[in-house]
Amino acid sequence: MQNNLFYISIIFAFMISSCNAQERVDIASMSYDSPVIQVKEKPQEIDGNYMGYLPRLNYEYKNMEAFCFNDFKFANGGESLSNRVTFYLNQKQDHIISTQISLHRNEDSEAFFNYLEEKYGLPIVLQPEPAKERYVNDKPFGFAYYLWKNVASNRSIILSKNYVIDHLREDKWRYDLDIHYVKTEDPDRFTSAGLEVNAFEYLLLMHSEKARGAADRQDGYGPDLERFKAYVKSLR
């Protein structure tokens, strides 16, 4: 037990190294080999079978000031929703498979999207911004999806940008971000669209029409695993 605690303390020391002054947990540097998340705030535990993107147990934190991503520091707040961080566990609940960062304030969303482009370059566009016929009052309305593949060892970023009008706040426009920092390869698998997939592949199926098209044999005889794997491999 003492050895385990020592191991966890070493992980935590590494996690906060890049934003040490504020003692924030660095999501980009944290180990996914343990379910331990060293944050003072007690998380909300959510059964992923009923809520969230991934059908796994997950832990949600709303104190964004406890986290950073490399040298980007998150802020608390939001407009109709709260900014939050959610950690998804694998089936055995012995390690993390994905982290979801949710931002609901224009300045936060724009700043972090720009940060990712500056750090990792232009992303792969899984789905572009809504076409003009989807605009309302000359503003886009709907979703756009982006991918930065393998930005670190066995880590990819899938980003969902949601353009929305908030009628409760004087028809104010905003766009929300859901950023998934996910293991690109992981043996933890589950069934989605008739395929046995990991978390990264599952998120691709959710955020890419091309991925869904590749998974569908289109002949009425079920999914096409080979075509889907070829599509995933083609993403560079």
Side-chain angles (χ1 to χ4, degrees):
M1 182 66 179
Q2 287 182 341
N3 289 338
N4 288 339
L5 290 175
F6 178 75
Y7 175 66
I8 291 168
S9 68
I10 292 295
I11 292 173
F12 183 52
F14 179 70
M15 284 159 51
I16 66 173
S17 61
S18 66
C19 38
N20 188 46
Q22 289 77 21
E23 293 188 349
R24 295 175 181 241
V25 173
D26 184 0
I27 294 169
S29 299
M30 66 184 296
S31 171
Y32 275 21
D33 296 328
S34 166
V36 176
I37 304 136
Q38 296 272 2
V39 181
K40 292 179 181 179
E41 174 194 4
K42 184 178 180 181
Q44 180 181 359
E45 183 177 309
I46 301 173
D47 186 345
N49 288 318
Y50 302 99
M51 296 180 66
Y53 277 101
L54 294 166
R56 288 289 181 270
L57 179 70
N58 58 80
Y59 295 104
E60 181 179 287
Y61 296 86
K62 293 186 178 180
N63 180 17
M64 295 294 289
E65 293 179 356
F67 300 96
C68 64
F69 192 92
N70 291 316
D71 56 349
F72 187 95
K73 299 175 178 63
F74 297 109
N76 290 328
E79 298 190 1
S80 61
L81 298 169
S82 297
N83 296 343
R84 63 190 183 277
V85 173
T86 308
F87 295 94
Y88 294 88
L89 304 185
N90 68 337
Q91 191 169 17
K92 293 181 179 179
Q93 300 180 22
D94 61 6
H95 71 257
I96 298 167
I97 56 175
S98 183
T99 303
Q100 179 181 337
I101 304 162
S102 301
L103 303 177
H104 301 283
R105 191 166 55 183
N106 281 9
E107 54 266 38
D108 300 333
S109 299
E110 184 174 1
F112 193 53
F113 189 85
N114 291 340
Y115 172 82
L116 292 175
E117 284 197 322
E118 290 173 6
K119 186 167 183 65
Y120 300 117
L122 296 177
I124 298 168
V125 179
L126 299 175
Q127 179 173 305
E129 292 185 2
K132 287 292 184 181
E133 57 267 23
R134 290 283 294 161
Y135 277 35
V136 178
N137 297 335
D138 296 323
K139 299 288 186 180
F141 185 78
F143 291 89
Y145 303 118
Y146 304 90
L147 166 67
W148 287 267
K149 190 176 181 184
N150 291 328
V151 296
S153 177
N154 198 27
R155 298 287 189 280
S156 293
I157 296 171
I158 296 178
L159 183 146
S160 168
K161 183 185 288 189
N162 178 22
Y163 300 87
V164 63
I165 183 169
D166 190 342
H167 295 289
L168 299 178
R169 301 183 69 85
E170 299 179 354
D171 291 344
K172 186 174 182 179
W173 287 89
R174 70 170 195 269
Y175 69 87
D176 303 334
L177 294 186
D178 279 311
I179 305 98
H180 304 273
Y181 191 57
V182 58
K183 279 188 171 183
T184 313
E185 300 289 343
D186 192 83
D188 188 63
R189 310 192 76 78
F190 47 94
T191 302
S192 178
L195 301 173
E196 289 294 317
V197 296
N198 63 20
F200 173 69
E201 294 163 344
Y202 173 79
L203 289 169
L204 279 179
L205 285 170
M206 290 198 62
H207 297 100
S208 170
E209 291 185 9
K210 289 183 179 179
R212 292 190 292 274
D216 185 4
R217 286 180 56 180
Q218 301 177 348
D219 60 5
Y221 291 97
D224 190 325
L225 180 61
E226 188 173 334
R227 284 183 63 222
F228 176 65
K229 291 289 187 182
Y231 167 78
V232 175
K233 189 175 180 180
S234 73
L235 296 170
R236 302 292 185 191

